[in-house]
Amino acid sequence: MVYRRIDGDYTLVACRYTEDWDLNKKRSAAKLISSDMYIAYIALQNEKVIGFIGLLRQLKGPYMILDMMQVSSECRGQGIGRRLFEAGKDAARKNGAEALYISACSSEETIAFYRAMGSDLTDHPIKEIAEKEPFDLQMICPVKD
C-alpha cells in the first residue's frame, strides 16, 4: 500500500512496490554518502551493512535534508532505524538545523516509521525536491529540544 493524493487528501491505495538495488546502485550510494557532502551513519551486523542514514551537510534554510535512509528488511523491527534516525536528528541539531526535511517514499510502512519518529507532512515543501520525486510525501521532523 502507498499513499496517493486523491481529491486533495492522501489515501492508501494498492500498489506493488519493490525497490531492489543492484550492486552498482549500492556502490554508488555508498560512495555518495561517504563524500564530504554528507553526514552519514551506518549500522553493521557481522561486518555487513544492515542500515544507513545520509544527511546533506549543507542546510537548506532551517532544514537539514535527510537524503537517504534504509534498514534491510530482515532487520526491521529491532530499533535500528530508530537509532539511525535519532543520530540524524542529533547531527541536524548540532549543525544548527531546526528540523529534518524528508522526501519520503510513499509506502505505508515508510510513512508510519517517520510519523512514529515525530515527523509530519509539511505545508511548505521544498519545490525542487518535491518536483524531483512527485510520489514522495514531503515531511519535516523538528530537532530542537
Side-chain angles (χ1 to χ4, degrees), residues 65-85:
I65 309 297
L66 190 164
D67 191 48
M68 291 185 255
M69 183 173 177
Q70 195 268 341
V71 174
S72 298
S73 58
E74 66 273 9
C75 297
R76 293 179 186 162
Q78 301 175 27
I80 296 163
R82 177 176 294 279
R83 290 192 297 275
L84 288 168
F85 194 83

Side-chain angles (χ1 to χ4, degrees), residues 7-102:
D7 297 327
D9 292 320
Y10 285 101
T11 304
L12 279 171
V13 297
C15 179
R16 192 164 173 82
Y17 176 81
T18 304
E19 188 164 357
D20 188 18
W21 289 11
D22 65 17
L23 186 57
N24 286 333
K25 187 163 182 176
K26 289 177 183 177
R27 286 181 175 157
S28 177
K31 184 177 180 181
L32 188 61
I33 67 170
S34 63
S35 75
D36 290 341
M37 292 173 36
Y38 282 79
I39 297 170
Y41 299 94
I42 61 172
L44 297 171
Q45 185 176 71
N46 299 323
E47 299 183 31
K48 179 183 174 191
V49 175
I50 58 168
F52 65 90
I53 187 171
L55 307 136
L56 290 173
R57 189 175 295 279
Q58 180 69 43
L59 297 183
K60 181 82 171 174
Y63 304 124
M64 180 168 276
I65 309 297
L66 190 164
D67 191 48
M68 291 185 255
M69 183 173 177
Q70 195 268 341
V71 174
S72 298
S73 58
E74 66 273 9
C75 297
R76 293 179 186 162
Q78 301 175 27
I80 296 163
R82 177 176 294 279
R83 290 192 297 275
L84 288 168
F85 194 83
E86 289 299 329
K89 283 175 65 174
D90 189 50
R93 187 180 312 108
K94 287 178 180 175
N95 283 276
E98 293 177 16
L100 286 176
Y101 185 95
I102 308 150

Side-chain angles (χ1 to χ4, degrees), residues 81-143:
R82 177 176 294 279
R83 290 192 297 275
L84 288 168
F85 194 83
E86 289 299 329
K89 283 175 65 174
D90 189 50
R93 187 180 312 108
K94 287 178 180 175
N95 283 276
E98 293 177 16
L100 286 176
Y101 185 95
I102 308 150
S103 183
C105 163
S106 61
S107 75
E108 183 177 17
E109 177 187 34
T110 299
I111 301 307
F113 169 78
Y114 286 128
R115 284 196 166 134
M117 296 299 101
S119 305
D120 206 350
L121 297 175
T122 180
D123 293 330
H124 306 288
I126 297 173
K127 184 178 179 182
E128 61 269 22
I129 294 175
E131 288 176 352
K132 183 178 173 187
E133 297 288 348
F135 290 117
D136 281 7
L137 273 63
Q138 306 303 306
M139 304 181 84
I140 58 170
C141 182
V143 299

